[in-house]
Amino acid sequence: MDRARFNVHRATRRTALGFFGVGAVGFALAEMVGADTPALPTRPAARTGNNPLVAENRLAGARWRPSGAKEVDDLRRQVQGYASKTSAGHGEVVDFHVSVADGGEFDAEIHRVGHYGGAGGRLMARGPGLAAEEHAPPSPEPDAGRVVCAWPVSWSVTIPAAWPSGLYVASFTDREGHRAHTPFVVREPSRSSDILVIVPVTTYQAYNMWPADETNGRNLYKGYTPEGVTDGALRAMEVSFDRPYTGVGLPSWFEMETSFASWAEERGHDLTYATSLDLHEGRLDPRLYTAIVFTGHDEYWSKAMRDAAEKAVEVGTHLAFLASNNIYFHIRLEAGNRRIACYKDPGTDPAPDAAGQTVRWRRLAKGLRKAEQRLLGVQYNGMLAAPAPMVVREAGHWFWAGTGLRDGDEIPGLVGVEADGVDPKSPSPKKSEQTLLSASPYDDSLGRGVRTQNTSLCVDGRKTMVFVAGTFHWPLALVPGEHSNEHVRVATGNLIDRMLAPRS
């Protein structure tokens, strides 16, 4: 688009808020101020610097990926495991199903991910001298290509009340020093917090190729031919949480989540954590949070997930998506929400439900009415073969304050992997003012020519914000490393601080 800022006045916004009760978390929704515009909600003052995670991060840290650990691979499968749940609350039991090559002992540990003085985690539990058998990977099920393990329980942990909500990693180390992991979340859905962090477990599983053994592995993108070559025609249509993540057990782009956790907890923000499945299952009341942050690659969404995000905006809860390619595929959860169905091609889903076929959200309704841009303001528009600079726009906006950047300045390498941008053919958020904070040309790696990446901020009439970074590299820039960037840290701080500020 030619303009960085424009007003959207399309369909009338729903008269929201009626589906929730009022007053449960110490704030009230004021009377309606018009036929279709709810009044601005009031919320408690931000608890930055004065909340349980500040004290938590002062405790002694420990690295959950210590140097010297030997790598694990899916051919030899030295030690691997998976968790019975993607998230658990206090008092709930998480079972860990572990396989050890040739059978034998392994040691288990659980760390909570955070800042902890730069250590990146804190040791929460140990399970020394545990035993497990070797379990061969199952063959893909013939109907939909599912790879489903039924390994016995090797270790169980009851989540103590003293464990704060957070991103946790269970680690398994065999007697040879090979170390594998599996992540899970400890949730506190009844605790009000300034920020709720959503961990994208549905997208994790969509990309999980376990076992990448040139024979049995399947994900929603590819499978193996008899010659051991990956082929998209052999992809799974359904994937299961009942299996390890490939290799060392860390999901694709897991560093997005760990980067934000470290950065935000170092800043002293009041956070609780949940997963995309918690969003799907209706565990989360958006009125409990001032902002919800989607920290990583969050591509695979059920209707219930999207409904929950839209309702959050309706009750005045800000949304921030710190990566790109969000809400792209519509999925169905099955088998007690341990299985994801996504057939992708129209007409191939054998059991579409009332929400429709499991295809791209853009194809669920005529006129692109369900396109992700309707909520986000931008949507996926291409892939990059190599990183490109982010080109700054609207440098005078509060978002860029303190960075020293000017319009046209470039942040090297910030646009990477996949990008979002405005699609003039797709609908935009209702009754919102949109500011495009970047306009970055890049060459699409799939041969679709030069495209433009946009970082977007939409603000509705009640000052509720929906932010989309529009690139994979944004959360990685928050911490030391290859993509570290002070401009991004300052701008993200501006965004979070503005979201948590009182509104009038």
Side-chain angles (χ1 to χ4, degrees):
M1 298 191 65
D2 293 330
R3 291 175 293 157
R5 181 172 295 175
F6 58 94
N7 291 321
V8 180
H9 297 290
R10 299 195 179 186
T12 302
R13 190 178 185 84
R14 284 180 291 173
T15 56
L17 311 179
F19 53 86
F20 283 126
V22 176
V25 294
F27 67 88
L29 300 179
E31 294 181 356
M32 304 288 279
V33 296
D36 63 353
T37 305
L40 185 70
T42 59
R43 297 182 184 271
R47 300 177 64 196
T48 304
N50 181 26
N51 61 75
L53 294 192
V54 174
E56 169 67 22
N57 274 269
R58 293 194 186 110
L59 299 174
R63 299 191 182 279
W64 57 272
R65 295 194 75 179
S67 60
K70 296 180 180 179
E71 293 290 293
V72 173
D73 65 79
D74 287 1
L75 288 173
R76 291 173 292 175
R77 301 183 306 280
Q78 297 90 341
V79 57
Q80 293 183 318
Y82 61 94
S84 62
K85 298 177 180 178
T86 58
S87 72
H90 295 151
E92 295 185 17
V93 176
V94 181
D95 296 324
F96 297 99
H97 308 257
V98 180
S99 173
V100 175
D102 299 322
E105 288 191 347
F106 71 97
D107 296 330
E109 294 179 337
I110 293 177
H111 288 78
R112 184 184 181 278
V113 176
H115 187 258
Y116 298 101
R122 179 166 82 92
L123 180 63
M124 309 298 287
R126 280 194 177 100
L130 302 170
E133 299 298 320
E134 180 175 6
H135 303 288
S139 299
E141 296 181 2
D143 57 342
R146 295 181 296 268
V147 176
V148 184
C149 296
W151 298 351
V153 175
S154 305
W155 187 44
S156 297
V157 174
T158 301
I159 305 300
W163 286 14
S165 180
L167 178 59
Y168 286 68
V169 176
S171 303
F172 318 112
T173 305
D174 71 6
R175 288 294 173 256
E176 303 297 323
H178 298 96
R179 188 176 177 91
H181 314 274
T182 194
F184 66 100
V185 164
V186 171
R187 59 178 187 267
E188 296 181 66
S190 62
R191 181 172 91 78
S192 176
S193 64
D194 292 343
I195 299 170
L196 174 68
V197 177
I198 298 292
V199 177
V201 297
T202 51
T203 300
Y204 286 170
Q205 203 54 250
Y207 282 87
N208 183 15
M209 192 63 182
W210 190 91
D213 59 358
E214 301 178 1
T215 303
N216 296 296
R218 298 286 189 277
N219 64 14
L220 293 180
Y221 292 86
K222 56 190 177 181
Y224 287 110
T225 68
E227 295 73 32
V229 178
T230 57
D231 186 340
L234 298 175
R235 69 178 181 86
M237 306 299 171
E238 300 180 7
V239 290
S240 172
F241 285 100
D242 290 317
R243 56 179 179 151
Y245 290 105
T246 191
V248 299
L250 299 178
S252 175
W253 294 102
F254 185 61
E255 59 268 36
M256 293 185 183
E257 278 64 62
T258 60
S259 295
F260 181 80
S262 178
W263 175 83
E265 294 195 11
E266 182 184 20
R267 288 187 102 230
H269 287 301
D270 180 31
L271 310 173
T272 52
Y273 292 73
T275 71
S276 45
L277 281 185
D278 296 317
L279 203 65
H280 170 82
E281 292 171 356
R283 296 180 185 276
L284 308 171
D285 183 345
R287 300 172 303 164
L288 291 170
Y289 317 105
T290 302
I292 301 177
V293 176
F294 300 84
T295 53
H297 182 202
D298 214 335
E299 180 178 352
Y300 286 79
W301 281 54
S302 68
K303 181 180 184 298
M305 291 167 59
R306 181 161 177 171
D307 287 348
E310 291 176 348
K311 289 175 182 177
V313 175
E314 290 172 359
V315 298
T317 299
H318 306 294
L319 304 182
F321 292 80
L322 297 188
S324 56
N325 190 206
N326 304 293
I327 321 182
Y328 188 61
F329 278 111
H330 172 237
I331 61 173
R332 185 171 60 254
L333 276 299
E334 300 178 339
N337 295 336
R338 293 292 290 175
R339 192 168 73 209
I340 299 168
C342 190
Y343 285 76
K344 296 190 175 182
D345 296 321
T348 61
D349 189 341
D353 57 19
Q357 296 188 46
T358 50
V359 295
R360 291 171 180 82
W361 275 94
R362 304 174 193 186
R363 307 186 76 166
L364 274 177
K366 293 181 179 180
L368 299 172
R369 294 195 309 274
K370 296 290 186 179
E372 58 269 38
Q373 185 169 288
R374 168 70 81 181
L375 171 62
L376 301 175
V378 289
Q379 59 190 30
Y380 166 76
N381 68 3
M383 301 183 68
L384 292 90
M390 178 175 283
V391 181
V392 173
R393 294 187 69 171
E394 298 290 328
H397 193 276
W398 57 257
F399 179 83
W400 295 117
T403 64
L405 294 168
R406 297 175 295 180
D407 282 2
D409 282 352
E410 297 183 349
I411 303 177
L414 187 55
V415 181
V417 187
E418 295 179 332
D420 293 343
V422 170
D423 179 357
K425 297 180 181 179
S426 294
S428 297
K430 303 173 185 178
K431 289 193 173 180
S432 292
E433 181 182 84
Q434 182 174 35
T435 304
L436 299 183
L437 298 158
S438 71
S440 315
Y442 70 90
D443 291 320
D444 176 66
S445 65
L446 300 180
R448 295 172 293 191
V450 176
R451 302 211 162 188
T452 300
Q453 177 273 347
N454 298 122
T455 298
S456 170
L457 179 69
C458 292
V459 184
D460 70 14
R462 295 175 300 124
K463 302 184 181 179
T464 303
M465 305 178 210
V466 176
F467 170 81
V468 181
T471 168
F472 272 36
H473 287 174
W474 190 278
L476 306 183
L478 298 174
V479 295
E482 177 185 359
H483 301 289
S484 180
N485 188 276
E486 182 63 19
H487 297 316
V488 174
R489 287 191 287 273
V490 171
T492 308
N494 291 341
L495 174 71
I496 297 299
D497 291 346
R498 181 62 66 105
M499 285 183 166
L500 299 185
R503 288 183 281 177
S504 59

